[in-house]
């Protein structure tokens, strides 16, 4: 049932205050402000020398965000891999690694094959998974549930932010176990996690602005998404969302790579979406934005109040997201890129919930 919403995708975007609250509630104890694995499971993070995160599509981008978290908050080296590449590459594996598989359905063929490969090689495995009865959930050593609820729209939205919530919680758990985070750090970070649902409610207020500028954006043939740090995978996810449902060609790039190639694409017909919350990298991203503007590229800046002031004159359009600790920014900034893709697709009149050629669960390779 879509309720008052025109598409499941929009309904699922608007469910994110509840779906993230459920997922965070499974990992964070609100009373003592600590994080732990659900269902009394244990993973000995002091025994792991590295983490492999393996997934496909949107779930892979969640893993790419998690790499930044695990390395920063737990000082654990992370390798991210696309499951279809990993399984055939003959990867050199550390026996002391934790392999994490991120999957909404728990049935993706390549991800399942990668899980079995890791188990044959004696690694500890964990699944960040939305369907607890799925094959990948059943076959993994630990289950890290995402409690997004059933996702009907083929383009993943609430499952993605739930994956980010599980992985963020896991990074805090790992950081604490490894002595990288103090009790005070854990309190601070769990407080940030608990703020996510409320901040998502605020972020959803960009809906009308996204709808308005979708009219212009829907005329583009190509769109570039740029971001730094955790906003780099969010840029890739934004581009994937746009191409999946609007059929506009889009690419996500690390903003610092602009000069190394993609800047050649910039002209007045190639809009650039810059995702730039206030963090230590803001100034650098703003200067990338000015380089784009100097080549007559139209910029859509997605930022907070402060970023909008710093960036002021340059962007053609701005979407304002809530200000927040950089830790949770990738979760909040997922919302404007979802709404943008959604309204561009609506503007183009495509079949939003059932985009052409795509299946919700890819059980053949
Ligand atoms: C994109 C999308 C896909 C899936 C991918 C993995 O919106 O939904 O890219 O993320 O097919 O699927 P799961 O998570 O079921 O393994």
């Amino acid at each position: 049932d879509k309720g008052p919403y025109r598409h499941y995708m929009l309904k699922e975007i608007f469910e994110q205050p509840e779906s993230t609250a459920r997922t965070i509630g499974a990992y964070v104890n609100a009373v003592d402000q600590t994080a732990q694995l659900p269902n009394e499971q244990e993973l000995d993070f002091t025994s792991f020398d590295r983490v492999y995160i393996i997934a496909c599509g949107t779930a892979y981008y969640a893993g790419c965000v998690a790499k930044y978290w695990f390395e920063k908050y737990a000082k654990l080296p992370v390798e991210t891999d696309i499951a279809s590449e990993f399984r055939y590459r003959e990867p050199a594996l550390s026996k002391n690694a934790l392999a994490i598989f991120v999957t909404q359905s728990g049935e993706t063929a390549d991800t399942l094959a990668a899980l079995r490969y890791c188990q044959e090689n004696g690694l500890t495995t964990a699944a960040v998974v939305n369907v607890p009865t799925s094959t990948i959930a059943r076959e993994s050593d630990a289950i890290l549930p995402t409690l997004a609820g059933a996702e009907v729209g083929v383009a993943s939205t609430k499952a993605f932010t739930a994956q980010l919530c599980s992985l963020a919680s896991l990074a805090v758990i790992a950081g604490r176990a490894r002595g990288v985070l103090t009790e005070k750090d854990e309190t601070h970070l769990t407080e940030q996690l608990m703020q996510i649902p409320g901040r998502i409610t605020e972020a959803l207020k960009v809906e009308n602005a996204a709808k308005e500028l979708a009219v212009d954006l829907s005329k583009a043939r190509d769109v570039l998404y740029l971001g730094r740090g955790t906003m780099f995978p969010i840029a890739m996810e934004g581009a994937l969302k746009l191409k999946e449902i609007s059929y506009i060609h889009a690419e996500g790039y690390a903003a610092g790579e602009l000069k190394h190639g993609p800047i050649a694409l910039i002209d007045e017909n190639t809009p650039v979406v810059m995702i730039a919350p206030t963090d230590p990298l803001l100034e650098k991203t703003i200067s990338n934005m000015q380089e784009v503007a100097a080549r007559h590229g139209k910029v859509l800046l997605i930022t907070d109040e402060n970023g909008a002031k710093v960036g002021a004159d340059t962007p053609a359009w701005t979407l304002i997201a809530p200000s927040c600790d950089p830790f949770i920014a990738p979760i909040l900034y997922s919302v404007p890129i979802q709404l943008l893709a959604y309204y561009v697709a609506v503007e183009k009149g495509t079949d939003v919930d059932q985009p052409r050629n795509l299946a919700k669960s890819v059980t053949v390779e």
Side-chain angles (χ1 to χ4, degrees):
D1 180 23
K2 292 195 281 251
Y5 298 98
R6 184 164 159 199
H7 295 101
Y8 280 106
M9 183 179 176
L10 190 62
K11 174 175 179 262
E12 289 164 357
I13 290 171
F14 274 84
E15 274 171 17
Q16 291 176 110
E18 296 84 54
S19 53
T20 54
R22 268 198 308 274
T23 302
I24 289 158
Y27 295 84
V28 171
N29 182 323
V31 180
D32 55 19
Q33 297 177 309
T34 56
Q36 57 278 307
L37 292 182
N39 307 319
E40 283 155 37
Q41 299 177 95
E42 294 201 10
L43 284 171
D44 180 8
F45 276 99
T46 59
S47 72
F48 302 132
D49 60 0
R50 68 190 62 215
V51 174
Y52 301 113
I53 306 180
I54 300 155
C56 302
T58 286
Y60 169 71
Y61 295 138
C64 293
V65 173
K67 174 182 169 79
Y68 290 81
W69 286 330
F70 279 105
E71 298 206 335
K72 175 170 179 178
Y73 297 112
K75 299 278 175 260
L76 252 176
V78 175
E79 272 178 57
T80 54
D81 255 296
I82 292 168
S84 56
E85 285 302 312
F86 177 87
R87 65 180 290 197
Y88 293 121
R89 188 181 76 219
E90 300 181 36
L93 296 175
S94 160
K95 297 266 180 242
N96 301 321
L98 170 66
I100 302 176
F101 301 86
V102 188
T103 171
Q104 189 284 126
S105 64
E107 303 295 347
T108 301
D110 284 319
T111 309
L112 176 59
L115 164 67
R116 289 176 176 161
Y117 183 93
C118 287
Q119 282 179 329
E120 282 158 20
N121 283 278
L123 272 64
T124 305
T125 59
V128 174
V129 60
N130 200 40
V131 180
T133 52
S134 62
T135 313
I136 290 174
R138 284 199 315 268
E139 294 192 12
S140 299
D141 298 323
I143 301 182
L144 310 169
T146 55
L147 303 176
E151 190 179 62
V152 177
V154 165
S156 186
T157 53
K158 64 174 180 170
F160 177 67
T161 48
Q163 287 160 354
L164 291 176
C165 290
S166 295
L167 289 162
S169 304
L170 197 65
V172 175
I173 295 166
R176 212 39 200 119
R178 293 167 60 79
V180 180
L181 299 177
T182 63
E183 202 179 315
K184 204 166 143 237
D185 296 330
E186 183 180 21
T187 304
H188 170 74
L189 293 172
T190 53
E191 270 171 5
Q192 304 313 307
L193 290 172
M194 287 186 287
Q195 283 184 14
I196 290 169
R199 294 290 165 90
I200 289 185
T201 303
E202 282 176 56
L204 287 165
K205 293 186 185 142
V206 303
E207 183 183 18
N208 283 331
K211 196 172 177 173
E212 275 170 33
L213 61 88
V215 178
D216 277 343
L217 219 60
S218 66
K219 296 179 186 123
R221 207 188 63 172
D222 311 280
V223 179
L224 218 55
Y225 284 71
L226 302 178
R228 286 175 185 263
T230 55
M231 295 302 138
F232 166 35
I234 296 301
M236 294 192 284
E237 168 61 5
L240 177 64
K241 223 79 303 174
L242 187 74
K243 70 183 103 167
E244 277 185 297
I245 59 170
S246 76
Y247 316 144
I248 293 175
H249 169 242
E251 295 296 335
Y253 260 98
E257 278 288 288
L258 184 64
K259 284 195 181 72
H260 301 284
I263 199 162
L265 294 172
I266 307 290
D267 63 14
E268 60 280 11
N269 301 317
T270 309
V272 177
V273 180
M274 305 279 310
I275 313 172
T278 296
D279 64 16
L281 299 170
L282 174 67
E283 304 269 338
K284 289 193 192 296
T285 315
I286 298 282
S287 92
N288 292 136
M289 180 175 81
Q290 287 155 349
E291 288 163 357
V292 170
R295 277 132 192 115
H296 309 290
K298 270 190 164 178
V299 176
L300 161 55
L301 177 62
I302 306 182
T303 186
D304 47 30
E305 295 279 0
N306 170 66
K309 278 190 214 123
V310 179
D313 312 325
T314 319
W317 310 282
T318 309
L319 285 179
I320 307 282
S323 55
C324 63
D325 189 294
F327 176 44
I328 60 168
I331 301 170
L332 304 189
Y333 279 69
S334 298
V335 173
I337 57 134
Q338 293 167 349
L339 285 168
L340 194 65
Y342 174 77
Y343 279 108
V344 171
V346 167
E347 190 63 31
K348 295 206 80 174
T350 57
D351 189 348
V352 172
D353 284 333
Q354 283 292 337
R356 68 184 181 201
N357 312 339
L358 291 175
K360 182 70 188 158
S361 181
V362 184
T363 53
V364 290
E365 62 171 302

